[in-house]
Amino acid sequence: CKGGGTPGFPRVKGRDRYNSFQYPVDQRHPCPLQGDKLKIVGVGSVRIRLSRELPDSAKIKIIRIIRRADGWYAHLICETIKPKPLQKTGRVVAVDVGITTFAALSTGEKIDNPRTLKANEGKITNADKVVSRRKKNSKRRRKARILLAKHHLHVRRARRYFHYQVANHLVKEFDEIHIEQLHIAGM
């Protein structure tokens, strides 16, 4: 009403309205992670599978719970000691991000684009057709939507993995990395 609108019925909170929540960890209490169990406020103790072991010196500051198409994930945001810097290589490189290739380096090396969306386009198209044929608000449509979301999630993760691999390679090989900064919308 403060914005000038008229009052109406309260909004019903849908099941897919929120996909994540987070909260800070109270440092006065013991660590919420005990072995393979994570204590979540308001939920209780939940069994989890860690992607990697936490260092002993890591203090959990924030817990973020995220729902993805293939399940629930817990991001444990920790305070850790700074890692040791990499050894100096004395090499400098300039990176030109392109359209035909993923990137061209000043050393002459070209990094090809893996085109993960194009490789999975058939699966995504078929899953999208299945979703559009299903009756709205039905269980079968919800299942088809989840399957389509899993295909998109696969593409997203493949792209991110490729970007991490390229970035890791460049950081280990070169001391200085220069990237052009273009304003594409103004061209």
Side-chain angles (χ1 to χ4, degrees), residues 68-73 120 123-124 127-128 131 142-158:
R68 295 272 159 77
D70 59 344
W72 291 89
Y73 290 85
N120 292 288
K123 291 178 184 176
I124 290 173
D128 200 22
V131 170
R142 193 178 307 137
K143 287 179 185 178
R145 276 182 51 216
I146 290 170
L147 189 64
L148 175 64
K150 283 182 181 180
H151 289 308
H152 280 293
L153 187 65
H154 174 74
V155 170
R156 176 182 171 197
R157 286 178 176 162

Short mmCIF file of all heavy atoms in Angstrom, two decimals, residues 68-73 120 123-124 127-128 131 142-158:
data_model
loop_
_atom_site.label_atom_id
_atom_site.label_comp_id
_atom_site.label_asym_id
_atom_site.label_seq_id
_atom_site.Cartn_x
_atom_site.Cartn_y
_atom_site.Cartn_z
N ARG A 68 19.65 -27.58 -6.54
CA ARG A 68 19.89 -27.65 -7.98
C ARG A 68 18.97 -28.71 -8.56
O ARG A 68 18.24 -29.39 -7.82
CB ARG A 68 21.35 -28.04 -8.25
CG ARG A 68 22.35 -27.02 -7.78
CD ARG A 68 22.60 -25.99 -8.86
NE ARG A 68 23.13 -24.75 -8.35
CZ ARG A 68 24.38 -24.54 -7.99
NH1 ARG A 68 25.24 -25.50 -8.04
NH2 ARG A 68 24.75 -23.36 -7.55
N ALA A 69 19.02 -28.90 -9.86
CA ALA A 69 18.12 -29.85 -10.51
C ALA A 69 18.38 -31.28 -10.05
O ALA A 69 17.47 -32.11 -10.05
CB ALA A 69 18.28 -29.76 -12.03
N ASP A 70 19.61 -31.58 -9.66
CA ASP A 70 19.94 -32.95 -9.27
C ASP A 70 20.07 -33.15 -7.77
O ASP A 70 20.56 -34.18 -7.32
CB ASP A 70 21.23 -33.40 -9.97
CG ASP A 70 22.41 -32.53 -9.65
OD1 ASP A 70 22.21 -31.42 -9.13
OD2 ASP A 70 23.55 -32.95 -9.91
N GLY A 71 19.65 -32.18 -6.96
CA GLY A 71 19.67 -32.39 -5.52
C GLY A 71 20.06 -31.14 -4.76
O GLY A 71 20.15 -30.04 -5.31
N TRP A 72 20.29 -31.32 -3.46
CA TRP A 72 20.65 -30.23 -2.56
C TRP A 72 22.16 -30.21 -2.34
O TRP A 72 22.80 -31.25 -2.26
CB TRP A 72 19.95 -30.40 -1.22
CG TRP A 72 18.48 -30.19 -1.29
CD1 TRP A 72 17.53 -31.12 -1.55
CD2 TRP A 72 17.78 -28.96 -1.11
NE1 TRP A 72 16.29 -30.55 -1.55
CE2 TRP A 72 16.41 -29.22 -1.27
CE3 TRP A 72 18.18 -27.65 -0.82
CZ2 TRP A 72 15.44 -28.23 -1.16
CZ3 TRP A 72 17.21 -26.68 -0.69
CH2 TRP A 72 15.87 -26.97 -0.86
N TYR A 73 22.72 -28.99 -2.23
CA TYR A 73 24.15 -28.82 -2.01
C TYR A 73 24.36 -27.87 -0.84
O TYR A 73 23.59 -26.93 -0.63
CB TYR A 73 24.82 -28.22 -3.26
CG TYR A 73 24.86 -29.19 -4.41
CD1 TYR A 73 23.78 -29.32 -5.27
CD2 TYR A 73 25.97 -30.00 -4.62
CE1 TYR A 73 23.81 -30.22 -6.32
CE2 TYR A 73 26.00 -30.89 -5.67
CZ TYR A 73 24.93 -31.00 -6.51
OH TYR A 73 24.95 -31.90 -7.53
N ASN A 120 25.05 -30.86 -26.86
CA ASN A 120 23.89 -31.34 -26.11
C ASN A 120 22.57 -30.75 -26.61
O ASN A 120 21.55 -30.89 -25.94
CB ASN A 120 24.07 -30.98 -24.63
CG ASN A 120 25.19 -31.76 -24.00
OD1 ASN A 120 25.07 -32.95 -23.77
ND2 ASN A 120 26.30 -31.09 -23.75
N LYS A 123 19.54 -33.31 -27.05
CA LYS A 123 18.91 -33.75 -25.80
C LYS A 123 18.04 -32.64 -25.21
O LYS A 123 16.94 -32.89 -24.73
CB LYS A 123 19.98 -34.14 -24.78
CG LYS A 123 20.74 -35.39 -25.13
CD LYS A 123 21.80 -35.65 -24.09
CE LYS A 123 22.65 -36.84 -24.46
NZ LYS A 123 23.74 -37.05 -23.50
N ILE A 124 18.55 -31.40 -25.26
CA ILE A 124 17.80 -30.27 -24.70
C ILE A 124 16.54 -30.01 -25.50
O ILE A 124 15.46 -29.78 -24.94
CB ILE A 124 18.70 -29.02 -24.62
CG1 ILE A 124 19.77 -29.22 -23.56
CG2 ILE A 124 17.89 -27.77 -24.34
CD1 ILE A 124 20.81 -28.14 -23.49
N ALA A 127 13.98 -32.77 -24.71
CA ALA A 127 13.43 -32.59 -23.37
C ALA A 127 12.47 -31.40 -23.32
O ALA A 127 11.45 -31.44 -22.64
CB ALA A 127 14.55 -32.41 -22.35
N ASP A 128 12.80 -30.35 -24.06
CA ASP A 128 11.93 -29.16 -24.11
C ASP A 128 10.59 -29.49 -24.78
O ASP A 128 9.54 -29.02 -24.34
CB ASP A 128 12.65 -28.05 -24.87
CG ASP A 128 12.08 -26.69 -24.57
OD1 ASP A 128 11.44 -26.54 -23.51
OD2 ASP A 128 12.26 -25.77 -25.39
N VAL A 131 8.44 -31.35 -22.29
CA VAL A 131 7.85 -30.45 -21.29
C VAL A 131 6.65 -29.72 -21.88
O VAL A 131 5.60 -29.60 -21.24
CB VAL A 131 8.90 -29.42 -20.79
CG1 VAL A 131 8.25 -28.34 -19.95
CG2 VAL A 131 9.97 -30.11 -19.98
N ARG A 142 6.27 -31.79 -14.11
CA ARG A 142 7.31 -31.45 -13.14
C ARG A 142 8.53 -32.35 -13.34
O ARG A 142 9.67 -31.89 -13.30
CB ARG A 142 6.77 -31.58 -11.72
CG ARG A 142 7.69 -30.96 -10.70
CD ARG A 142 7.15 -31.03 -9.29
NE ARG A 142 5.81 -30.49 -9.20
CZ ARG A 142 4.85 -31.06 -8.49
NH1 ARG A 142 5.07 -32.17 -7.82
NH2 ARG A 142 3.66 -30.51 -8.45
N LYS A 143 8.29 -33.64 -13.58
CA LYS A 143 9.40 -34.57 -13.82
C LYS A 143 10.14 -34.21 -15.11
O LYS A 143 11.37 -34.27 -15.17
CB LYS A 143 8.88 -36.00 -13.91
CG LYS A 143 8.47 -36.58 -12.58
CD LYS A 143 7.96 -37.99 -12.77
CE LYS A 143 7.43 -38.57 -11.48
NZ LYS A 143 6.88 -39.92 -11.66
N ALA A 144 9.39 -33.84 -16.15
CA ALA A 144 10.00 -33.46 -17.42
C ALA A 144 10.81 -32.17 -17.27
O ALA A 144 11.88 -32.03 -17.88
CB ALA A 144 8.93 -33.31 -18.50
N ARG A 145 10.29 -31.25 -16.46
CA ARG A 145 11.03 -30.00 -16.22
C ARG A 145 12.34 -30.28 -15.51
O ARG A 145 13.37 -29.66 -15.80
CB ARG A 145 10.19 -29.06 -15.35
CG ARG A 145 9.21 -28.22 -16.13
CD ARG A 145 8.44 -27.26 -15.25
NE ARG A 145 9.31 -26.48 -14.42
CZ ARG A 145 9.04 -26.11 -13.18
NH1 ARG A 145 7.92 -26.49 -12.60
NH2 ARG A 145 9.88 -25.38 -12.50
N ILE A 146 12.32 -31.21 -14.55
CA ILE A 146 13.54 -31.57 -13.83
C ILE A 146 14.56 -32.18 -14.79
O ILE A 146 15.76 -31.88 -14.72
CB ILE A 146 13.22 -32.51 -12.65
CG1 ILE A 146 12.46 -31.74 -11.57
CG2 ILE A 146 14.47 -33.14 -12.08
CD1 ILE A 146 11.88 -32.60 -10.48
N LEU A 147 14.10 -33.03 -15.69
CA LEU A 147 15.00 -33.65 -16.67
C LEU A 147 15.62 -32.59 -17.58
O LEU A 147 16.83 -32.63 -17.87
CB LEU A 147 14.25 -34.69 -17.50
CG LEU A 147 15.10 -35.57 -18.40
CD1 LEU A 147 16.04 -36.42 -17.57
CD2 LEU A 147 14.24 -36.44 -19.28
N LEU A 148 14.81 -31.62 -18.04
CA LEU A 148 15.33 -30.52 -18.87
C LEU A 148 16.34 -29.70 -18.08
O LEU A 148 17.40 -29.33 -18.62
CB LEU A 148 14.17 -29.64 -19.35
CG LEU A 148 14.54 -28.39 -20.12
CD1 LEU A 148 15.24 -28.76 -21.42
CD2 LEU A 148 13.31 -27.55 -20.40
N ALA A 149 16.04 -29.42 -16.82
CA ALA A 149 16.97 -28.65 -15.99
C ALA A 149 18.29 -29.40 -15.79
O ALA A 149 19.35 -28.79 -15.74
CB ALA A 149 16.33 -28.35 -14.64
N LYS A 150 18.22 -30.73 -15.70
CA LYS A 150 19.46 -31.52 -15.56
C LYS A 150 20.33 -31.41 -16.81
O LYS A 150 21.55 -31.34 -16.72
CB LYS A 150 19.12 -32.98 -15.28
CG LYS A 150 18.70 -33.23 -13.85
CD LYS A 150 18.42 -34.70 -13.61
CE LYS A 150 17.96 -34.94 -12.19
NZ LYS A 150 17.67 -36.34 -11.92
N HIS A 151 19.71 -31.39 -17.99
CA HIS A 151 20.48 -31.23 -19.23
C HIS A 151 21.16 -29.85 -19.27
O HIS A 151 22.33 -29.74 -19.63
CB HIS A 151 19.57 -31.40 -20.45
CG HIS A 151 19.12 -32.80 -20.69
ND1 HIS A 151 19.98 -33.88 -20.74
CD2 HIS A 151 17.88 -33.32 -20.87
CE1 HIS A 151 19.30 -34.99 -20.96
NE2 HIS A 151 18.03 -34.68 -21.03
N HIS A 152 20.43 -28.81 -18.87
CA HIS A 152 21.02 -27.47 -18.83
C HIS A 152 22.12 -27.39 -17.78
O HIS A 152 23.15 -26.74 -17.99
CB HIS A 152 19.95 -26.42 -18.54
CG HIS A 152 19.14 -26.04 -19.74
ND1 HIS A 152 19.67 -25.37 -20.83
CD2 HIS A 152 17.83 -26.24 -20.04
CE1 HIS A 152 18.73 -25.17 -21.72
NE2 HIS A 152 17.60 -25.70 -21.28
N LEU A 153 21.93 -28.06 -16.65
CA LEU A 153 22.93 -28.09 -15.60
C LEU A 153 24.21 -28.77 -16.08
O LEU A 153 25.31 -28.34 -15.76
CB LEU A 153 22.37 -28.80 -14.37
CG LEU A 153 23.21 -28.78 -13.10
CD1 LEU A 153 23.34 -27.36 -12.58
CD2 LEU A 153 22.58 -29.66 -12.04
N HIS A 154 24.05 -29.84 -16.88
CA HIS A 154 25.20 -30.54 -17.43
C HIS A 154 26.02 -29.60 -18.33
O HIS A 154 27.26 -29.56 -18.25
CB HIS A 154 24.74 -31.75 -18.22
CG HIS A 154 25.84 -32.46 -18.94
ND1 HIS A 154 26.76 -33.25 -18.29
CD2 HIS A 154 26.18 -32.49 -20.26
CE1 HIS A 154 27.62 -33.73 -19.17
NE2 HIS A 154 27.29 -33.27 -20.37
N VAL A 155 25.33 -28.82 -19.17
CA VAL A 155 26.02 -27.88 -20.06
C VAL A 155 26.74 -26.82 -19.23
O VAL A 155 27.89 -26.48 -19.49
CB VAL A 155 25.02 -27.22 -21.05
CG1 VAL A 155 25.66 -26.08 -21.80
CG2 VAL A 155 24.50 -28.26 -22.01
N ARG A 156 26.05 -26.30 -18.22
CA ARG A 156 26.64 -25.27 -17.37
C ARG A 156 27.90 -25.77 -16.68
O ARG A 156 28.92 -25.08 -16.63
CB ARG A 156 25.59 -24.85 -16.33
CG ARG A 156 26.08 -23.85 -15.34
CD ARG A 156 25.00 -23.54 -14.34
NE ARG A 156 25.55 -22.73 -13.26
CZ ARG A 156 24.97 -22.56 -12.11
NH1 ARG A 156 23.82 -23.14 -11.86
NH2 ARG A 156 25.51 -21.82 -11.20
N ARG A 157 27.84 -26.98 -16.13
CA ARG A 157 29.00 -27.53 -15.43
C ARG A 157 30.14 -27.84 -16.38
O ARG A 157 31.31 -27.66 -16.03
CB ARG A 157 28.59 -28.79 -14.66
CG ARG A 157 27.78 -28.46 -13.44
CD ARG A 157 27.35 -29.70 -12.71
NE ARG A 157 26.66 -29.35 -11.48
CZ ARG A 157 25.89 -30.18 -10.82
NH1 ARG A 157 25.72 -31.42 -11.24
NH2 ARG A 157 25.30 -29.80 -9.72
N ALA A 158 29.84 -28.31 -17.59
CA ALA A 158 30.89 -28.60 -18.56
C ALA A 158 31.60 -27.32 -18.97
O ALA A 158 32.83 -27.28 -19.08
CB ALA A 158 30.30 -29.30 -19.78
#
